[in-house]
Amino acid sequence: MERFAIRAGARQSPRRYRHFVGRTAELALMQGALAGDTLPFQTLYIYGPGGIGKTALLHQLTDLCLHKGVAATYLDARHVDPAPEAFAGAVVEALGLPGGAPSLDRFSALAGRHVLLIDTFESLGALDTWIRDVFLPRLPDGVLVVLAGRTAPSVEWRGDPGWQTLIRPLALRNLTLEESRTFLTSREIPAADVPAVLEFTHGHPLALSLVADTYALRPGMRFEPQAAPEVVHALVEKFVEQVPGPAHRAAVEACALVRAMSESLLGAMLRLPDAHDLFRWLRELSFIDSGPLGLFPHDLAREALDADVRWRNPEWYAELHGRARAFYKHRMQQTRDDEQRRVLIDYVYLHRLNPIIRAAVDWHDPGGIWQDGMRAGDGAEIVALVRRHEGDPAAEAAERWLRHPAAATVVFRGAQQEVVGFLLAVALEDLTDADVAGDIITRGVRTYLRAKVPLRPGERAVLFRFWMSAERHQEFAPVQSRIFTNIFQSFFNTPRLAVSIFPAVESEILEILMAYAEFTPPPELRFEQDGRRYVTFVHDWRVMPLGEWLEILGQKEVGMTPPAPAPAEELLVLSEDEFAEAIRSALAAIRSRRSEALRAHPLLRSRLVRDRASSGGEAAREDELRKIIQDAVESLRELPKGDRLHAVMQRTFLSPAPSQEKAAELVDLPFSTYRRYLAIGIQRITETLWRREIGDQAR
């Protein structure tokens, strides 16, 4: 078997490396090591993920030795048995040393400077200790060994004081933007396609080579990652060629989907009660890095895996996506403040490939911008920002709202604590006519709420009245990412939130974003002020609750057609008095036992019933309403004197006696006491179901 050994001067580097670019610092390091009378280190340990260009660099180092007149030998360790004698014999054979003595003794025949380059060093993992403690110390002082593998030097290499001055670890990174562009130019990639290729490859050498090879095979093609599954497949196979089985591949694919993989998230996505061993295996992969938030793959590995599984198995991709969404939704309901904001960023990251979300949100949580409250002097600066971007009337409104108790302001600061943006939200539910008199937009929104989507007692409506970056106003920028995340967070944290309203200076791209986010722009809420046109977007959480909203956005992201939401007019938003009257009429209809009694009943169009009967027609909703009433009656048993309350309601409505007098007789109560228990029972059922109608159980 050929061990892929090359001696300097025997032949040039393989033809596929003739377009080599970059690695200036690495080549300079080798050149400096060869220039001295003594070697500054004995071992150069190059490491990096598969496809990063380790082999190409080793061939360049071999050529460098040739030009410097230094003997060099390249050996690919993947063709060597990982046993001491086999390895030593392979090295001796590659070096062309004379036979006769045991393998390790032959190295004394090496005279002068010599460089031994060993590629794919990770395949010799079983020999790591032996090579460090036995093989390398037997080499003459003039031999420089270059090891190249996927994993960094083990702790034994780095922790042994004797080796710390003898080894030089060298992590190999992606090519720079300019180096990548130079390579693509040398491969004659059309200039118009270069930006797309650069964005897809992130400077990863293997990816650049594979894309260039595809162009060579298909002259005139246009590069589109989703339309080039063979390129992606080759990348994926390079990354996961050592994966032991289906569960491990699934773990890699799940890791590629999320921003950072924790052990608990991996267990949730793969439906495993204990994901510890699989997580530990994932952590050891060469293209997986770890950070404070968990594990994450090399950028190119992530995009290649993501594109491959989307193309190869879209159903599985959608399933993984849904499981991650469910995990994050649960975490968001359990966390607050900075931790919740981090989880929100994780959630948004699932949508990173969507061009709409990609333009609006920086899921990397941009540094240098931090959230704060109002400080002395901020008010004047904020008013000046509003005046600069939206004119005098808006600035006057902002000045009033900054002093109003119904408004809350979040300030975003830069590195020097300067104001780089802000968000001012107004709680609309308790505003008076005087409060909104000087603000055309808030006044119009309040009028719209009263006429179109009236609030019920205790419900909240939030108007994000002002939001902007100091420099770019409402254009998408890192500050806007923080603003949008803050707004998103409010959807989870505002008790009994009924309506969210989002006004903005008219913008086509923002209208696209808000349509994607299921916010609608009512024609009544278009305004013009000081030469600027405003459009206002509204979402009624009673019509599409938070859980349903998240699911619809998630299904859009994975290419599924979300279920069409029920038309807004189908959902009936009842006041508390109207709801109480509807419960009484529903009880009477159930008591009558007529099949048509509940037909077209207003509660069939309530959130209470629609949440429980999301599919099926009117008959299904009638059945669900009966069951809801029955369950509510049954729950009365849990109250003090609940058995009596339950008996009264049962005999009056569910298994009705011919008359109320007979019902009182059957439950063994005086008629006046029966009537008192009946009123209490109806009240308790109404309160229970009203809390479900307006409560947070769907959020």
Side-chain angles (χ1 to χ4, degrees):
M1 178 183 295
E2 181 190 8
R3 294 196 173 96
F4 200 22
I6 303 174
R7 285 187 292 279
R11 58 179 175 177
Q12 296 292 327
S13 295
R15 186 170 179 268
R16 63 182 177 276
Y17 300 126
R18 71 185 186 277
H19 295 287
F20 184 89
V21 298
R23 308 305 187 201
T24 305
E26 292 83 354
L27 293 170
L29 177 64
M30 174 61 81
Q31 188 166 341
L34 297 176
D37 293 331
T38 59
L39 292 171
F41 45 83
Q42 184 188 7
T43 303
L44 176 62
Y45 198 120
I46 300 171
Y47 63 95
I52 199 67
K54 298 183 294 295
T55 299
L57 176 58
L58 259 57
H59 281 284
Q60 292 299 310
L61 295 177
T62 302
D63 285 348
L64 176 62
C65 292
L66 170 65
H67 292 302
K68 294 294 182 181
V70 176
T73 300
Y74 169 91
L75 176 68
D76 191 341
R78 80 183 74 200
H79 305 300
V80 177
D81 293 332
E85 284 299 316
F87 173 75
V91 174
V92 166
E93 181 181 347
L95 292 170
L97 295 175
S103 297
L104 291 176
D105 293 335
R106 299 184 200 176
F107 295 127
S108 60
L110 286 172
R113 187 63 50 82
H114 200 109
V115 178
L116 174 63
L117 305 102
I118 301 175
D119 203 357
T120 327
F121 186 66
E122 71 274 7
S123 65
L124 300 175
L127 295 181
D128 187 84
T129 300
W130 180 85
I131 289 173
R132 183 181 63 252
D133 295 341
V134 179
F135 172 75
L136 292 177
R138 298 291 293 270
L139 297 177
D141 292 341
V143 177
L144 172 62
V145 177
V146 181
L147 304 176
R150 294 189 174 192
T151 56
S154 64
V155 67
E156 288 78 10
W157 288 90
R158 292 177 278 114
D160 187 334
W163 270 104
Q164 287 178 358
T165 58
L166 299 177
I167 186 173
R168 179 68 61 87
L170 181 61
L172 213 54
R173 304 300 184 190
N174 285 0
L175 299 178
T176 67
L177 190 64
E178 279 307 310
E179 290 168 347
S180 301
R181 187 176 284 111
T182 299
F183 172 82
L184 294 174
T185 301
S186 75
R187 294 295 303 269
E188 300 180 353
I189 305 302
D193 289 0
V194 166
V197 176
L198 291 174
E199 184 177 5
F200 176 70
T201 61
H202 299 283
H204 191 277
L206 174 64
L208 289 165
S209 296
L210 286 169
V211 172
D213 289 343
T214 304
Y215 272 92
L217 291 172
R218 299 179 181 178
M221 68 166 280
R222 293 300 303 275
F223 178 74
E224 296 178 3
Q226 296 290 354
E230 67 279 13
V231 173
V232 174
H233 180 74
L235 292 172
V236 170
E237 288 305 312
K238 185 71 176 178
F239 287 133
V240 298
E241 60 189 9
Q242 302 299 324
V243 169
H248 298 79
R249 187 178 189 108
V252 173
E253 292 169 344
C255 190
L257 184 63
V258 299
R259 187 168 77 112
M261 178 63 75
S262 65
E263 190 172 311
S264 57
L265 175 56
L266 183 64
M269 293 181 71
L270 300 188
R271 302 282 171 86
L272 294 174
D274 183 359
H276 177 72
D277 290 343
L278 205 54
F279 183 82
R280 187 173 58 183
W281 170 85
L282 197 62
R283 189 176 187 176
E284 296 301 318
L285 293 180
S286 62
F287 59 90
I288 299 292
D289 290 325
S290 61
L293 304 181
L295 306 181
F296 55 94
H298 183 282
D299 286 344
L300 202 283
R302 181 193 296 282
E303 295 199 10
L305 286 160
D306 190 283
D308 176 73
V309 74
R310 273 179 179 251
W311 167 77
R312 177 175 46 80
N313 194 344
E315 293 79 12
W316 170 239
Y317 184 90
E319 180 66 23
L320 282 177
H321 202 280
R323 293 177 187 180
R325 295 197 309 269
F327 178 88
Y328 291 138
K329 179 186 173 186
H330 180 67
R331 289 286 297 142
M332 282 188 280
Q333 293 168 333
Q334 293 181 320
T335 53
R336 287 292 181 270
D337 303 325
D338 288 345
E339 175 64 14
Q340 186 184 63
R341 186 169 63 84
R342 185 190 67 76
V343 179
L344 284 170
I345 293 170
D346 288 340
Y347 194 101
V348 173
Y349 190 81
L350 293 173
H351 299 253
R352 67 191 181 281
L353 297 180
N354 186 292
I356 301 171
I357 300 298
R358 194 169 192 166
V361 179
D362 184 347
W363 46 84
H364 296 296
D365 195 13
I369 299 173
W370 54 285
Q371 181 175 318
D372 193 17
M374 290 280 290
R375 299 182 184 181
D378 286 346
E381 189 169 354
I382 286 172
V383 171
L385 286 178
V386 176
R387 179 170 284 109
R388 171 153 57 99
H389 291 300
E390 298 189 21
D392 290 337
E396 292 168 6
E399 189 171 18
R400 286 194 298 273
W401 286 122
L402 285 169
R403 299 192 301 265
H404 198 286
T409 305
V410 176
V411 178
F412 299 96
R413 303 188 188 278
Q416 305 304 317
Q417 302 192 30
E418 74 279 17
V419 176
V420 296
F422 77 97
L423 167 66
L424 187 155
V426 178
L428 296 171
E429 56 272 9
D430 296 325
L431 295 184
T432 65
D433 291 344
D435 291 328
V436 301
D439 183 357
I440 182 175
I441 290 179
T442 309
R443 184 173 67 247
V445 167
R446 182 168 174 267
T447 300
Y448 172 82
L449 281 180
R450 288 180 165 184
K452 301 293 185 179
V453 284
L455 300 178
R456 299 174 294 195
E459 290 184 334
R460 306 278 302 279
V462 176
L463 169 69
F464 299 102
R465 177 61 185 91
F466 292 102
W467 57 278
M468 65 186 66
S469 156
E471 295 301 320
R472 300 177 62 179
H473 190 219
Q474 293 175 351
E475 294 179 22
F476 294 158
V479 175
Q480 304 298 9
S481 296
R482 298 297 300 269
I483 290 173
F484 292 149
T485 301
N486 195 287
I487 290 171
F488 192 9
Q489 203 167 354
S490 76
F491 300 161
F492 282 83
N493 294 340
T494 305
R496 295 192 59 186
L497 179 62
V499 186
S500 295
I501 306 103
F502 195 84
V505 174
E506 199 170 59
S507 159
E508 182 178 357
I509 189 170
L510 187 62
E511 292 201 34
I512 294 172
L513 173 66
M514 299 308 287
Y516 172 88
E518 300 291 336
F519 274 65
T520 57
E524 304 97 313
L525 295 182
R526 290 185 179 270
F527 306 98
E528 187 165 345
Q529 180 177 261
D530 202 31
R532 297 169 180 84
R533 292 187 296 181
Y534 293 83
V535 58
T536 307
F537 304 94
V538 177
H539 186 92
D540 190 332
W541 299 106
R542 301 165 300 184
V543 176
M544 184 185 291
L546 186 61
E548 182 180 331
W549 180 73
L550 290 172
E551 185 60 25
I552 286 174
L553 295 190
Q555 290 179 346
K556 287 180 180 180
E557 185 56 32
V558 296
M560 298 172 62
T561 302
E569 63 271 13
E570 183 182 340
L571 189 82
L572 191 63
V573 179
L574 299 168
S575 68
E576 188 171 8
D577 289 343
E578 291 170 337
F579 186 85
E581 178 57 36
I583 292 294
R584 286 192 289 270
S585 68
L587 287 167
I590 290 172
R591 184 180 191 281
S592 72
R593 294 190 172 185
R594 297 194 308 271
S595 59
E596 74 282 1
L598 290 178
R599 194 167 301 159
H601 193 277
L603 285 178
L604 300 183
R605 298 163 57 200
S606 69
R607 171 61 61 189
L608 176 73
V609 175
R610 255 190 52 183
D611 280 349
R612 291 272 296 264
S614 56
S615 60
E618 190 170 282
R621 294 188 184 188
E622 292 172 15
D623 291 343
E624 195 57 51
L625 177 56
R626 288 189 180 90
K627 188 173 188 309
I628 288 169
I629 297 290
Q630 290 167 358
D631 291 345
V633 170
E634 192 63 29
S635 71
L636 292 174
R637 292 182 184 273
E638 301 172 6
L639 300 174
K641 299 183 180 180
D643 288 340
R644 284 292 178 91
L645 287 173
H646 174 267
V648 167
M649 298 296 290
Q650 184 77 23
R651 279 302 185 180
T652 305
F653 299 110
L654 303 186
S655 300
S659 65
Q660 290 190 354
E661 289 79 4
K662 184 63 176 177
E665 180 184 335
L666 290 173
V667 297
D668 194 24
L669 287 174
F671 188 68
S672 60
T673 305
Y674 160 83
R675 294 283 295 175
R676 182 164 54 86
Y677 271 88
L678 180 62
I680 293 172
I682 293 173
Q683 179 184 355
R684 292 298 178 85
I685 286 175
T686 301
E687 290 172 352
T688 296
L689 296 182
W690 174 247
R691 284 195 299 271
R692 284 176 52 186
E693 169 73 2
I694 66 172
D696 296 335
Q697 72 276 1
R699 299 187 66 76

